[in-house]
């Protein structure tokens, strides 16, 4: 799944624990799913690129930083 996933409809119920064991991260992801426009605003460039590499602004310890991420989002595909 690529960044197109973020451009489509995303619901909090799409986020399921699976092997995710950190309840704080799980909760944060579900909250973010309710505000896709806020998630998109963190991306430096919202255009899909062939390399599949994006700069995302992340706030850590009160300081905004750029982090390089790829366009693969770990998901579980239902049969």
């Amino acid at each position: 799944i690529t960044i197109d996933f973020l451009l489509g409809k995303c619901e909090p119920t799409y986020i399921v624990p699976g092997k995710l064991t950190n309840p704080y991260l799980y909760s944060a992801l579900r909250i973010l799913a309710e505000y896709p426009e806020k998630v998109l605003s963190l991306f430096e460039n919202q255009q899909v690129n062939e390399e599949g590499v994006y700069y995302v602004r992340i706030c850590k310890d009160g300081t905004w930083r750029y982090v390089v991420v790829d366009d693969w989002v770990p998901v579980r595909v239902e049969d």
Side-chain angles (χ1 to χ4, degrees):
I1 292 183
T2 66
I3 194 170
D4 297 331
F5 171 76
L6 292 175
L7 301 175
K9 187 174 181 181
C10 183
E11 298 289 334
T13 56
Y14 295 174
I15 311 295
V16 294
K19 294 186 179 191
L20 187 63
T21 59
N22 184 327
Y24 300 107
L25 178 58
Y26 172 71
S27 295
L29 291 174
R30 286 188 66 125
I31 291 168
L32 284 172
E34 292 193 33
Y35 303 97
E37 68 281 353
K38 293 198 182 289
V39 174
L40 287 174
S41 73
L42 299 174
F43 285 80
E44 173 81 6
N45 182 351
Q46 296 178 14
Q47 301 298 318
V48 176
N49 67 57
E50 290 183 24
E51 294 81 22
V53 177
Y54 304 90
Y55 288 100
V56 179
R57 292 181 314 133
I58 303 290
C59 185
K60 181 179 179 189
D61 299 327
T63 302
W64 285 95
R65 306 161 196 245
Y66 283 97
V67 177
V68 178
V69 298
D70 64 21
D71 63 357
W72 287 95
V73 178
V75 297
R76 183 183 73 196
V77 177
E78 297 290 333
D79 292 330

